[in-house]
Amino acid sequence: MKRITFSIAIVILIILLSVSCSDANRKIEAKRIEPIILNDCLITHFPGKLLVNEKYIVWQHSGASDNFLHIHSIENGAELAKAGNLGSGPKEFSTPKPFTIRNNNIYVWDLNSSKEAMISIDSAINGKLSTILLNGREKSGTHEIVSINDSVRIALRATDSTLFQLWSPLQNINFGKTPINERIENHFDIYQGNILYNDEKSLLVHTNILIPYLAIYKYKNNSFTLASENNMLDEVSVKQNFFIRNPAKLGIWASTLTKDYIACLQRDYASDNIDESTIGRDFTKAPRTIFLYDYIGNVVMKISSEYPIIRIASNTSDNNIYAIIIDEEFKIAKFEI
């Protein structure tokens, strides 16, 4: 009986070792893809949020005096309309932040108030601005929000113990594992990042800007559980309860979800070992690589381009990635994967 038990243990050990070796030796495909230019001249000093659905590309003109949203055709990149008013009026924003497109409506929240609104793309294209105020809530301490449906939101709040808060009409629920297991005082600064939701897969994806970290949560029965995480930190340095990061490197600049991939704008330090602390607002030194992760959290492909990439966006109906790149001017481009 002992021999049988010992044999089974050996077999299990061999299987585990082979799986571990397979993971360690997983080949990451590298592709050089030059994008298709859809619009070759965006008039802006700084392009903000980029959003995409099956019909439209929407980008935010940060610093615009008015019409902070630009709407383009996804087919040919032609600009179709502008929308969004700046100001202090009931349907105006002082610090707008668009966060999703749902049913041809752009959802926008205000960084410094509880204001939230829905702006109709169809109305804007027809020359009739339609802004509908929604039931917003106080968003102090919120980095990002994403919609699960018309009434449920997830907020990235980066507190000291949890990262997210589920907002529903009935209740608020805190959840989420922090990337660093130790308790840190500078959590609000370190835990900045992006959150995305895949309707078809019922998955919430979180990526961090300042440290290389990706986590995937499964949504079921109005709650989220951690499905997997990819913590790419080489080492963790905590001194006097403050996390000390390497200023020469960043994590994931931006992320988006396609049909099969979590696409992350991320510098490939193996081939582009630039000191991030020296860049400032020199957009020509932005990353030129998009890392593709599967929905388990493993990187499977690296896409490189000759152009610096500023923003990325996609929808989950295909694997195309839309981007704002810089080539003397800011341009809207499409990467066909």
Side-chain angles (χ1 to χ4, degrees):
M1 184 69 179
K2 289 183 178 179
R3 288 183 178 178
I4 294 173
T5 304
F6 179 75
S7 299
I8 293 172
I10 291 294
V11 170
I12 293 173
L13 180 61
I14 291 171
I15 292 172
L16 291 174
L17 287 173
S18 64
V19 170
S20 177
C21 291
S22 173
D23 289 342
N25 297 322
R26 182 185 288 112
K27 187 175 181 181
I28 300 173
E29 184 180 359
K31 282 187 177 182
R32 178 84 169 187
I33 300 179
E34 296 313 325
I36 300 167
I37 305 300
L38 297 179
N39 190 295
D40 63 2
C41 187
L42 304 185
I43 307 300
T44 179
H45 293 296
F46 180 58
K49 188 78 172 183
L50 182 68
L51 298 170
V52 166
N53 71 356
E54 286 76 11
K55 295 175 64 177
Y56 303 109
I57 300 169
V58 177
W59 63 278
Q60 179 186 6
H61 184 177
S62 299
S65 58
D66 216 340
N67 292 322
F68 58 84
L69 295 174
H70 291 244
I71 302 164
H72 296 250
S73 165
I74 203 169
E75 294 296 327
N76 56 28
E79 184 168 281
L80 304 175
K82 298 177 184 179
N85 295 320
L86 293 174
S88 57
K91 296 184 179 181
E92 297 175 337
F93 293 84
S94 58
T95 49
K97 196 161 188 178
F99 63 93
T100 195
I101 302 176
R102 186 180 291 276
N103 299 324
N104 286 349
N105 295 309
I106 307 165
Y107 288 78
V108 183
W109 63 288
D110 198 297
L111 285 169
N112 294 306
S113 74
S114 61
K115 189 177 295 183
E116 188 176 322
M118 181 178 72
I119 298 174
S120 168
I121 292 177
D122 297 329
S123 294
I125 291 174
N126 291 325
K128 299 177 181 179
L129 294 182
S130 175
T131 301
I132 299 173
L133 291 177
L134 304 174
N135 293 325
R137 66 182 68 206
E138 174 58 40
K139 298 181 179 67
S140 176
T142 300
H143 285 298
E144 297 282 347
I145 62 174
V146 67
S147 67
I148 302 302
N149 53 46
D150 286 340
S151 60
V152 178
R153 305 279 185 267
I154 301 296
L156 172 60
R157 296 181 63 83
T159 64
D160 58 350
S161 58
T162 60
L163 287 183
F164 313 108
Q165 192 170 67
L166 184 149
W167 295 338
S168 73
L170 299 178
Q171 61 184 336
N172 296 341
I173 301 173
N174 295 315
F175 71 96
K177 178 183 178 297
T178 57
I180 300 164
N181 293 328
E182 298 179 59
R183 196 179 187 92
I184 60 174
E185 296 293 332
N186 55 338
H187 50 81
F188 188 78
D189 297 325
I190 296 300
Y191 294 150
Q192 298 182 44
N194 194 24
I195 50 175
L196 308 153
Y197 186 71
N198 186 312
D199 289 326
E200 291 82 6
K201 299 180 184 295
S202 299
L203 293 176
L204 176 74
V205 176
H206 166 58
T207 59
N208 191 289
I209 297 172
L210 296 179
I211 56 178
Y213 177 83
L214 182 152
I216 302 168
Y217 292 80
K218 181 68 176 179
Y219 182 55
K220 187 177 181 180
N221 297 329
N222 207 37
S223 65
F224 286 89
T225 55
L226 181 65
S228 64
E229 63 178 344
N230 189 336
N231 196 330
M232 298 159 271
L233 271 170
D234 294 331
E235 58 181 278
V236 175
S237 176
V238 177
K239 296 181 180 179
Q240 297 180 335
N241 295 328
F242 278 79
F243 176 76
I244 310 300
R245 72 177 191 89
N246 180 1
K249 293 188 176 181
L250 287 173
I252 296 170
W253 290 51
S255 51
T256 188
L257 305 181
T258 75
K259 181 180 180 180
D260 299 312
Y261 304 110
I262 303 167
C264 296
L265 179 57
Q266 191 173 351
R267 193 179 303 280
D268 186 358
Y269 290 106
S271 59
D272 183 16
N273 193 22
I274 193 170
D275 184 342
E276 303 286 6
S277 66
T278 66
I279 292 177
R281 286 217 167 189
D282 186 350
F283 298 119
T284 64
K285 294 181 180 178
R288 299 166 186 250
T289 311
I290 298 173
F291 284 62
L292 299 182
Y293 296 78
D294 60 24
Y295 276 97
I296 302 175
N298 301 312
V299 59
V300 294
M301 189 185 305
K302 291 190 294 186
I303 298 168
S304 61
S305 169
E306 72 171 290
Y307 302 107
I309 304 169
I310 312 300
R311 306 289 183 203
I312 56 174
S314 60
N315 59 59
T316 54
S317 63
D318 56 39
N319 287 319
N320 294 325
I321 298 172
Y322 298 84
I324 295 179
I325 63 170
I326 188 164
D327 179 25
E328 296 184 354
E329 304 283 353
F330 291 114
K331 302 179 178 183
I332 297 176
K334 173 184 175 183
F335 290 88
E336 293 186 335
I337 310 304

